[in-house]
Amino acid sequence: MPVEFLGIAATNEGSEVTPRAGASFDKEYTLRLARAHEDHGWDRVLFAYGSGSPDPSPAAAYVAAHTEKLQILVAHRPNVSYPTFAAKTFATLDRISDGRLAVHFITGGNDHEQQREGDFLTKDERYARTREAIQIIKRAWTSHEPFGHEGTHYRFNDFVSDTFPVQQPHPQVSFGGSSPAAYAAGGAEADIYCLWGEPLAQTAEQIASVKEAARAAGRTDVPRIQVAFRPIIAPTEELAWEKAHRTLARIRARKSGTPLSRRHPLRNPENTGSRRLLAVAAEGDLHDRALWTPTAAETGGAGNSTALVGTPETVAQALLDYYDLGVEILSARGYDLLDDAIDFGRHVIPIVREEVARRDASHQAA
């Protein structure tokens, strides 16, 4: 089974431990970070979305035009543009990148953040809208004949695009969430289903829910599974744990200054995924081989926030534990974005790829 690695395509050096020094879009840093991923064995980077953040699509186009093989995953909230417009935007971006695009559809787990850009639907309504938008975008990517649509959230007549993606039948659709509504929408429509790093047992349960939703939607295939972590690595176990506690102290110091994020509340999150991470953190600091939860607890379960702590060998083995569950895409993002991307690419990715290749060869020989 193949394995892929997804990193982050940040547009500035800011993180939970480091406030940014300049503009939100630092062109030189954005490209430097992307090239660090391309040069150190990563497959793809995510351009995230926030209500006040730089638009991910032109940032991705800039990176695509200055890299050769790095794949790009662009986050998109359906509330910010009409599906026919979004379809043309992404088809154009797939052309610019020579077929390196995937699109991550974000339904939105925080009412306040959604309302900043005029979205006042309830969470379940948002999931229904996302599913409808994905269906329209897929059709716009593939239909060479005019078509209309009359649904709950969108209505139009006689649309046909003159801009089609390089990839056939279309770029991959990525989706995430941990609620029944999320499983239903993503299980039906996604090529890739994204989860945050929970203990192995809970991750297995979520994978089963996604597969069940895909079957309920009448699919004969299932989405590929992606799981996200915050790796904290060092040459020895002792140094790794010192680094972990130092990182936690830096997060706390950062919280006392500039707000960590306007997208996510530090307490009482609305979305199921963050509540799950906080519940895991409440059960204990360390789970399974190396999953460490205080970073999630300290940030309110904000997105990808559970850490894997240890030597490169320990973290690689922890990732392989998830691979054994059927996880094909491993998402990782350090706290010092550039240095951690390089270190992870140099020291962890080769171990995982070598072991996966060994297993594949063994299975083929059996």
Side-chain angles (χ1 to χ4, degrees), residues 215-278:
R215 288 191 293 267
R219 292 179 62 167
T220 56
D221 64 340
V222 294
R224 292 193 297 155
I225 302 296
Q226 172 185 304
V227 180
F229 305 96
R230 307 299 293 270
I232 300 175
I233 62 172
T236 69
E237 295 293 331
E238 181 180 7
L239 289 174
W241 284 105
E242 288 178 1
K243 183 178 179 181
H245 288 288
R246 190 165 60 249
T247 298
L248 188 61
R250 293 173 68 192
I251 292 173
R252 289 170 176 159
R254 173 88 163 78
K255 282 171 60 178
S256 67
T258 308
L260 290 177
S261 172
R262 281 172 50 82
R263 280 182 279 177
H264 185 88
L266 294 180
R267 297 184 180 183
N268 302 319
E270 298 172 20
N271 60 307
T272 303
S274 292
R275 293 200 301 268
R276 287 177 64 101
L277 292 187
L278 292 179

Side-chain angles (χ1 to χ4, degrees), residues 173-221:
V173 168
S174 171
F175 189 91
S178 297
S179 67
Y183 299 144
E189 301 296 339
D191 301 299
I192 299 169
Y193 200 99
C194 307
L195 302 170
W196 291 330
E198 296 185 11
L200 292 165
Q202 287 93 321
T203 301
E205 292 171 358
Q206 290 214 76
I207 292 173
S209 295
V210 173
K211 291 181 176 179
E212 182 180 351
R215 288 191 293 267
R219 292 179 62 167
T220 56
D221 64 340

